[in-house]
Amino acid sequence: MTPEPASVSEHARSAGLKPETVRIAVTLPTFRRPDHLTMTLDSLQAQGLGSETAIIVMENDADGLEGARAAADWLQSSHVKVIVIVAHNRGNCHAYNAGWDKALAEFPKLTHIAVIDDDEIAGPGWLSGLMKTGQKTGADIVGGPQVPVFADKSLDGWRRHPVFTPHYLTTGPVPILYSSGNVLISRPVLDMMPRPFLDPAFNFIGGGDSDFYRRAKARGFSFAWSAEAAVMETLMSRRAEFSWLNARSLRNGAISSILEKRQWPGMPGRVRTFAKSLALLAAAPWRGLRLGLQTGSAVIGLYHIQVALGRLMEEFGLVNEQYRNPESN
């Protein structure tokens, strides 16, 4: 990977911020959700953060700047220390990289970076839960559940869909993580991993976090899960629509294929990945039938078929860039 263009600017910062006292940076990417961003910041303030913790808000809409302005207004009346930056290059990987680079450059005694998204609310004891699990297990990277909360409560039944369910249920060491929406990363990981941390090739399809974790695992870093460190993810009604669920499931399949090809490069790897895709497609109807019976939903039962099809579509260059048009996501 080549370095990203230096296209980051600082928009605002809290008065009295003392960088030398900060050991934990909570990085918060945002894109056109100013109202919910404020709610996320409120939930972080409720954590009882002290002077050893600061928040970095990464605005990724350099034209609108709604999130940057909302965060700048919010920090005026908060005791929590905040830096607001603008990642001028569009894409979630650019936003994450900008925040992580800023934290490392700004805070000389930094030990950890935490991540929460601007459509999430931190539960009570969120950050302390991640830290405690990391200390107890010795894991380098700790993740926690993103609990789906539909704005329309009548849609709560869709929480059983695999795109919303957590990968793990109990606290302790795990083989690997998959999402960056609720995670704690230790300083040694950031010092050893090459930059940019998240590959911009994944900017609009997602999966940059999974790719980062795979590369971190290959370097010997360990993972854990903190079931107590939950965030609540606010979901709009469109995420219960078939079109969105189908697009996300196909995308998940495509990402898994891309990551496997990176893990197994060359023609033998492509053949291996394609063979696995065919095997998954063959098994998908039976797996889907079982899932549909378990959840009582034929739509949910389609998930394994959609993932297998997404893998095969990727072989022909058909990958859904679900983040390209945020209004439909």
Side-chain angles (χ1 to χ4, degrees), residues 214-280:
R214 286 196 179 213
R215 290 185 284 111
K217 183 174 182 177
R219 288 175 177 257
F221 291 110
S222 58
F223 301 82
W225 184 257
S226 181
E228 300 80 16
V231 299
M232 277 56 71
E233 182 181 10
T234 304
L235 301 177
M236 298 297 102
S237 299
R238 64 178 174 273
R239 296 201 174 189
E241 296 173 358
F242 178 80
S243 59
W244 189 91
L245 292 168
N246 180 61
R248 178 55 60 96
S249 302
L250 292 171
R251 188 212 66 159
N252 286 356
I255 290 173
S256 68
S257 178
I258 293 170
L259 294 179
E260 286 174 15
K261 288 178 181 177
R262 289 189 167 207
Q263 185 177 2
W264 306 320
M267 185 54 66
R270 290 186 64 98
V271 172
R272 180 176 178 177
T273 300
F274 186 69
K276 182 177 177 179
S277 298
L278 292 176
L280 288 173

Side-chain angles (χ1 to χ4, degrees), residues 7-12 26-35 37-38 41 55-73 82-100 102 116-118 326:
S7 188
V8 179
S9 60
E10 185 171 311
H11 182 83
V26 179
T27 56
L28 170 51
T30 187
F31 185 83
R32 297 179 185 173
R33 290 189 181 116
D35 294 337
L37 171 64
T38 301
L41 289 168
I55 300 170
I56 298 179
V57 176
M58 299 94 78
E59 168 68 89
N60 199 216
D61 181 11
D63 296 323
L65 295 176
E66 291 180 311
R69 294 191 186 100
D73 289 342
V82 182
I83 298 177
V84 183
I85 63 174
V86 180
H88 294 267
N89 294 324
R90 264 288 306 280
N92 62 358
C93 293
H94 288 313
Y96 276 78
N97 291 334
W100 297 3
K102 181 69 171 178
I116 186 171
D117 285 338
D118 67 346

Side-chain angles (χ1 to χ4, degrees), residues 13-314:
R13 72 166 54 204
S14 298
L17 172 64
K18 298 179 180 179
E20 67 276 6
T21 68
V22 175
R23 287 172 170 76
I24 304 170
V26 179
T27 56
L28 170 51
T30 187
F31 185 83
R32 297 179 185 173
R33 290 189 181 116
D35 294 337
H36 203 291
L37 171 64
T38 301
M39 295 167 59
T40 304
L41 289 168
D42 286 342
S43 74
L44 293 176
Q45 181 168 253
Q47 305 286 302
L49 305 179
S51 61
E52 76 284 356
T53 304
I55 300 170
I56 298 179
V57 176
M58 299 94 78
E59 168 68 89
N60 199 216
D61 181 11
D63 296 323
L65 295 176
E66 291 180 311
R69 294 191 186 100
D73 289 342
W74 184 89
L75 66 82
Q76 297 299 323
S77 58
S78 173
H79 68 273
V80 180
K81 301 307 180 184
V82 182
I83 298 177
V84 183
I85 63 174
V86 180
H88 294 267
N89 294 324
R90 264 288 306 280
N92 62 358
C93 293
H94 288 313
Y96 276 78
N97 291 334
W100 297 3
D101 285 339
K102 181 69 171 178
L104 290 167
E106 189 77 26
F107 307 126
K109 296 182 180 179
L110 188 78
T111 64
H112 293 84
I113 284 179
V115 185
I116 186 171
D117 285 338
D118 67 346
D119 59 352
E120 296 173 343
I121 301 295
W126 166 68
L127 186 57
S128 62
L130 291 173
M131 289 293 295
K132 288 176 182 176
T133 297
Q135 293 164 359
K136 183 177 180 180
T137 63
D140 301 295
I141 307 175
V142 182
Q146 296 164 261
V147 180
V149 179
F150 280 99
D152 182 351
K153 299 303 181 184
S154 68
L155 301 174
D156 278 353
W158 291 107
R159 293 169 57 176
R160 297 171 297 173
H161 196 289
V163 301
F164 301 129
T165 54
H167 289 92
Y168 306 105
L169 298 177
T170 57
T171 296
V174 295
I176 199 168
L177 298 173
Y178 300 93
S179 173
S180 59
N182 178 6
V183 71
L184 180 76
I185 304 172
S186 66
R187 177 66 180 267
V189 178
L190 300 166
D191 285 339
M192 185 176 289
M193 294 296 289
R195 301 190 191 186
F197 297 110
L198 302 190
D199 187 344
F202 293 95
N203 262 325
F204 298 109
I205 63 173
D209 41 13
S210 292
D211 173 66
F212 176 78
Y213 296 145
R214 286 196 179 213
R215 290 185 284 111
K217 183 174 182 177
R219 288 175 177 257
F221 291 110
S222 58
F223 301 82
W225 184 257
S226 181
E228 300 80 16
V231 299
M232 277 56 71
E233 182 181 10
T234 304
L235 301 177
M236 298 297 102
S237 299
R238 64 178 174 273
R239 296 201 174 189
E241 296 173 358
F242 178 80
S243 59
W244 189 91
L245 292 168
N246 180 61
R248 178 55 60 96
S249 302
L250 292 171
R251 188 212 66 159
N252 286 356
I255 290 173
S256 68
S257 178
I258 293 170
L259 294 179
E260 286 174 15
K261 288 178 181 177
R262 289 189 167 207
Q263 185 177 2
W264 306 320
M267 185 54 66
R270 290 186 64 98
V271 172
R272 180 176 178 177
T273 300
F274 186 69
K276 182 177 177 179
S277 298
L278 292 176
L280 288 173
L281 183 61
W286 306 108
R287 298 177 69 195
L289 178 62
R290 183 166 60 250
L291 179 61
L293 291 174
Q294 289 172 348
T295 60
S297 169
V299 172
I300 295 177
L302 291 173
Y303 177 72
H304 294 296
I305 296 175
Q306 292 163 327
V307 167
L309 289 174
R311 289 176 61 98
L312 290 172
M313 290 169 64
E314 190 277 330

